[in-house]
Amino acid sequence: MTAQILSAIFTIIIGVGGCVVYYWGANKILDTVFPSRGVSGAAAVDNLRRQGLIRPWLFVGPAMLIVTVYLVYPVIETLRLSFMDRGGENFVGLANYSWALGDREFRSSIFNNLLWLAVVPAACTFFGLIIAVLTDKIWWGNIAKSLVFLPLAISFVGASVIWKFVYEYRAEGQTQIGILNAAVQYLGGTPQVWISTPFWNNFFLMVILIWIQTGFAMVILSSALRGIPEETIEAAVIDGANPFQIFWKIMVPQIWGTIAVVWTTITILVLKVFDIVLTMTNGQWNSQVLANLMFDWMFRGGGDFGRGAAIAVIIMLAVVPIMIWNIRQANREGGGGH
């Protein structure tokens, strides 16, 4: 444990320190090669212009290199593998995609992903919006927001471990240490193995992601609500609108663009959901999702690079259009587009 902590601290120091050294050193070298001080006026102007042309690339260059190495290349390689056999050596055309469309587990994963899409983005956005509105009306609102936002700092695996204790089941006659089963038993009910109950276990897993992402929705929507002109609220009050009407007919329409961005951002996250399912059920009991199925085929028992890559491409094709729309909508909200 101590070694892991020291390793994490060392990694943070090297990572952050390396960035500081790089940017400081790059600026220093640039200023040395093209000095703007101690030279004649015309030369100083030329050097400042050269610095202005080069400096953005010094800052953006490493990020572009990392994106190319860790994003662009893997996408191209995944596309290639999706047309190859299990070992990634022989071309098989669309055979992997044909298999996916006919595979029962793949169809079950599609259904579960659609179920997640129908529930999680809507629930996160709804709860985030309600909490954002209510916490603006109370003196301890910032404390409440901090508590709601806190789960966002926890990794999906860490959150899953926490919720495993909530859903924990012990055999009849033993003390129920899971909060949910303890409550059920206290109320006279029968404890259940919640995460192994087909269909319903999907909803118990969704609760974890809703718990994590509600804080994200709350923060973004709270900021949007504060941008609503007070004049519109005052005019509605003068016209006799009640709080419910003000919320739904005055406030929500004015932040609808932000709501859509939050909704689609969480939708993209849901399409890629993996950690929670892997940690809680490993896709058992009809809880499989596309990302976990891809992992199974590519790296575990399946051992088929072609099929795993085909599933990855399908996930990517589902995510990219939503991501493009999300970026355009965010640009409109920020005044960067029409």
Side-chain angles (χ1 to χ4, degrees), residues 99-117:
W99 159 82
L101 295 176
D103 182 67
R104 185 192 65 80
E105 191 172 18
F106 177 82
R107 293 197 299 269
S108 174
S109 300
I110 289 284
F111 173 78
N112 288 336
N113 267 103
L114 291 174
L115 203 60
W116 281 70
L117 286 172

Side-chain angles (χ1 to χ4, degrees), residues 36-282:
S36 59
R37 296 178 181 177
V39 296
S40 63
V45 171
D46 287 341
N47 285 343
L48 282 172
R49 181 177 57 81
R50 293 189 184 103
Q51 287 181 14
L53 291 173
I54 296 172
R55 184 169 280 112
W57 291 104
L58 289 176
F59 286 3
V60 178
M64 292 181 66
L65 178 63
I66 291 171
V67 167
T68 300
V69 173
Y70 290 100
L71 185 61
V72 176
Y73 169 72
V75 166
I76 296 171
E77 181 64 9
T78 301
L79 282 169
R80 185 189 72 82
L81 285 173
S82 70
F83 298 107
M84 309 299 282
D85 64 359
R86 66 184 297 117
E89 298 172 353
N90 302 307
F91 183 76
V92 295
L94 297 173
N96 292 318
Y97 295 95
S98 176
W99 159 82
L101 295 176
D103 182 67
R104 185 192 65 80
E105 191 172 18
F106 177 82
R107 293 197 299 269
S108 174
S109 300
I110 289 284
F111 173 78
N112 288 336
N113 267 103
L114 291 174
L115 203 60
W116 281 70
L117 286 172
V119 175
V120 175
C124 291
T125 306
F126 175 77
F127 289 127
L129 180 58
I130 296 300
I131 293 170
V133 172
L134 294 180
T135 51
D136 276 340
K137 308 295 183 184
I138 52 179
W139 65 268
W140 49 277
N142 288 333
I143 298 174
K145 286 180 181 178
S146 299
L147 293 174
V148 173
F149 185 78
L150 196 59
L152 196 61
I154 305 173
S155 70
F156 284 5
V157 173
S160 300
V161 171
I162 291 171
W163 280 85
K164 263 196 170 182
F165 287 106
V166 175
Y167 298 140
E168 181 67 24
Y169 169 80
R170 293 294 173 89
E172 189 175 351
Q174 297 185 27
T175 302
Q176 297 296 332
I177 65 169
I179 296 174
L180 184 57
N181 275 321
V184 169
Q185 190 176 56
Y186 177 79
L187 295 173
T190 303
Q192 303 290 328
V193 188
W194 304 104
I195 62 173
S196 66
T197 306
F199 182 73
W200 296 108
N201 54 4
N202 286 289
F203 294 97
F204 292 118
L205 300 187
M206 290 176 205
V207 168
I208 302 172
L209 189 53
I210 294 170
W211 180 65
I212 296 171
Q213 288 299 309
T214 294
F216 162 76
M218 176 201 67
V219 168
I220 304 299
L221 294 172
S222 179
S223 177
L225 286 169
R226 290 181 179 179
I228 295 176
E230 285 293 331
E231 294 80 3
T232 60
I233 307 296
E234 292 170 0
V237 172
I238 293 171
D239 287 342
N242 59 46
F244 185 82
Q245 292 171 323
I246 291 173
F247 176 70
W248 287 109
K249 295 184 179 181
I250 305 298
M251 299 172 71
V252 170
Q254 293 190 72
I255 63 167
W256 183 249
T258 305
I259 292 174
V261 169
V262 169
W263 189 301
T264 51
T265 300
I266 298 174
T267 296
I268 293 171
L269 182 67
V270 168
L271 283 169
K272 302 183 295 180
V273 67
F274 164 71
D275 314 57
I276 293 172
V277 175
L278 177 68
T279 306
M280 295 293 287
T281 65
N282 195 22

